[in-house]
């Protein structure tokens, strides 16, 4: 299986071309998810709170602080997660153990699917609270653009994180058959061959001299004849 790595990656220790890496669909989705998470986080932090004639700041989403806190949490964690998984994607080919590669792919599947669901909740939650916000609660339409941006990019994040989940599942399905590897190879070591191979070209030589002379005979003895007696 030379030249073919497990779970869609190259052989262990193979170099990664940065240009080719950036052009991969998974990397593009990762960058988009990073940007969308940044917009959701920054929109709420910078303009998601308004002053209603007092020193106390109120959330633009129907004065519901939980809505702003949830949007900030999902955006910030999504931002950090995109950075982590982008680095993991770049270093994936250097992981020698098949078990470790499988764990990394399963972690990506679980987190990406879960975060797509959280962004779906964020979109529904923020849109619901925004629909209940009256113009009187936002004098001069303060924070309206930030609220709409947080809602829109929460929806876009659902698509990108769902796409990352699909790509991770495809990577998992490309995983090599675990039965083809011995325990040493799965742990990062070189595979061993406990028994000699009987296949042609297996590197073992078999003796061709399988016939043995019968006992009580000499190899170079001349034949003897008995003269019949009449």
């Amino acid at each position: 299986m030379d030249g073919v790595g497990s779970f869609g990656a190259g052989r262990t220790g193979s170099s990664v071309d940065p240009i080719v890496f950036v052009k991969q669909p998974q990397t593009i989705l990762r960058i988009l998810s990073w940007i969308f998470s940044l917009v959701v986080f920054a929109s709420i932090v910078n303009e998601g709170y308004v002053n209603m004639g007092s020193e106390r700041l109120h959330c633009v989403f129907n004065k519901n602080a939980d809505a702003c806190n949830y949007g900030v949490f999902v955006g910030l964690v999504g931002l950090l997660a995109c950075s982590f998984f982008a680095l993991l994607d770049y270093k994936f080919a250097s992981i020698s153990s098949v078990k470790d590669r499988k764990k990394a792919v399963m972690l990506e599947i679980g987190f990406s699917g879960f975060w797509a669901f959280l962004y779906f909740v964020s979109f529904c939650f923020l849109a619901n609270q925004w629909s209940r916000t009256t113009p009187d609660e936002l004098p001069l339409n303060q924070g309206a653009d930030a609220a709409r941006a947080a809602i829109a990019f929460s929806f876009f994040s659902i698509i990108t994180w769902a796409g990352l989940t699909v790509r991770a599942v495809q990577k998992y399905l490309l995983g090599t058959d675990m039965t083809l590897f011995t325990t040493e190879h799965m742990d990062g070591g070189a595979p061993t061959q406990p028994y000699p191979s009987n296949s042609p070209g297996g590197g073992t030589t078999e003796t061709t001299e399988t016939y043995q002379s019968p006992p009580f005979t000499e190899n170079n003895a001349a034949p003897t004849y008995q003269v019949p007696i009449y």
Side-chain angles (χ1 to χ4, degrees):
M1 301 183 64
D2 294 339
V4 180
S6 60
F7 298 100
R11 291 184 300 175
T12 301
S14 59
S15 59
V16 180
D17 188 353
I19 298 178
V20 176
F21 174 77
V22 172
K23 292 181 179 180
Q24 292 179 354
Q26 182 171 341
T27 306
I28 296 175
L29 287 173
R30 192 85 65 195
I31 295 174
L32 291 176
S33 298
W34 189 90
I35 296 174
F36 296 163
S37 296
L38 178 62
V39 172
V40 173
F41 170 74
S43 298
I44 298 177
V45 170
N46 293 332
E47 300 182 20
Y49 296 90
V50 294
N51 191 338
M52 304 296 295
S54 62
E55 296 181 356
R56 184 178 180 181
L57 296 177
H58 298 277
C59 179
V60 295
F61 295 99
N62 196 27
K63 296 183 180 180
N64 189 344
D66 293 336
C68 288
N69 293 336
Y70 184 83
V72 170
F73 167 75
V74 174
L76 178 60
V77 177
L79 184 67
L80 298 176
C82 286
S83 302
F84 169 76
F85 282 110
L87 180 61
L88 182 62
D89 291 340
Y90 189 79
K91 297 294 185 180
F92 192 77
S94 62
I95 302 176
S96 59
S97 174
V98 177
K99 287 184 177 180
D100 292 340
R101 287 191 177 190
K102 182 179 180 181
K103 291 178 182 178
V105 174
M106 293 182 66
L107 175 63
E108 183 179 357
I109 293 174
F111 186 89
S112 299
F114 181 64
W115 224 248
F117 171 75
L118 290 187
Y119 264 116
F120 174 76
V121 175
S122 175
F123 169 74
C124 295
F125 188 22
L126 297 181
N128 177 265
Q129 294 300 308
W130 179 247
S131 65
R132 297 182 179 183
T133 304
T134 60
D136 297 337
E137 297 176 350
L138 296 177
L140 301 178
N141 209 22
Q142 294 180 356
D145 293 338
R148 295 189 184 98
I151 295 173
F153 283 93
S154 292
F155 176 78
F156 297 151
S157 296
I158 299 173
I159 301 175
T160 55
W161 282 99
L164 288 172
T165 305
V166 173
R167 295 293 301 178
V169 171
Q170 292 176 346
K171 186 190 296 186
Y172 180 82
L173 295 178
L174 287 176
T176 52
D177 189 359
M178 303 296 288
T179 59
L180 298 178
F181 295 88
T182 61
T183 305
E184 292 80 7
H185 186 278
M186 293 170 62
D187 292 336
T192 58
Q193 187 174 355
Y195 300 102
S197 174
N198 293 327
S199 59
T204 58
T205 56
E206 297 181 357
T207 178
T208 57
E209 206 171 325
T210 58
Y211 175 79
Q212 294 182 352
S213 301
F216 307 109
T217 59
E218 296 182 359
N219 294 333
N220 297 327
T224 57
Y225 299 95
Q226 184 176 4
V227 180
I229 301 175
Y230 298 99

